Amino acid sequence: MTIAELVYEQVEALPEQLAREVLDFVGYLRKRQDHAERRDLINAQTGSLAPVWGNGEDKVRDDARARRFAAHTVSLLRSVRWHAPGSLQVG
């Protein structure tokens, strides 16, 4: 008898509410496995792409992007006018 058949026999003998809990637990286990596989894939990609991502040219581009983002954020904050506690107007 396979594991799946043994589990089926055990779950079949349970009351409906407990069988639902078993089903929920099986869903949790599947989701956990999917997350582990995704994490392993990301780790493998990160390691193999590190030389591409970690070069000096990318650092210059990332720094420029960060400066543009900071300047845009400052500009947005300057455009906000506070009027009363809890209210603001943009413009």
Side-chain angles (χ1 to χ4, degrees):
M1 194 173 267
T2 68
I3 295 292
E5 292 168 335
L6 291 170
V7 170
Y8 175 77
E9 280 185 0
Q10 294 296 316
V11 172
E12 192 175 38
L14 291 174
E16 182 74 18
Q17 183 58 36
L18 290 178
R20 287 180 192 276
E21 288 185 36
V22 171
L23 183 60
D24 288 344
F25 184 68
V26 169
Y28 160 76
L29 292 175
R30 292 184 68 149
K31 188 176 285 190
R32 187 177 75 176
Q33 179 64 33
D34 289 345
H35 285 282
E37 289 172 1
R38 189 174 306 122
R39 184 191 64 237
D40 292 344
L41 177 62
I42 290 170
N43 288 340
Q45 290 173 338
T46 300
S48 64
L49 291 173
V52 175
W53 290 339
N55 63 43
E57 183 180 314
D58 281 344
K59 172 112 175 74
V60 170
R61 184 173 49 241
D62 291 344
D63 289 347
R65 189 175 298 142
R67 282 192 302 274
R68 281 194 311 270
F69 177 76
H72 180 69
T73 302
V74 168
S75 173
L76 283 175
L77 289 174
R78 286 182 180 155
S79 71
V80 173
R81 293 192 186 104
W82 295 91
H83 290 276
S87 69
L88 63 92
Q89 287 183 341
V90 178

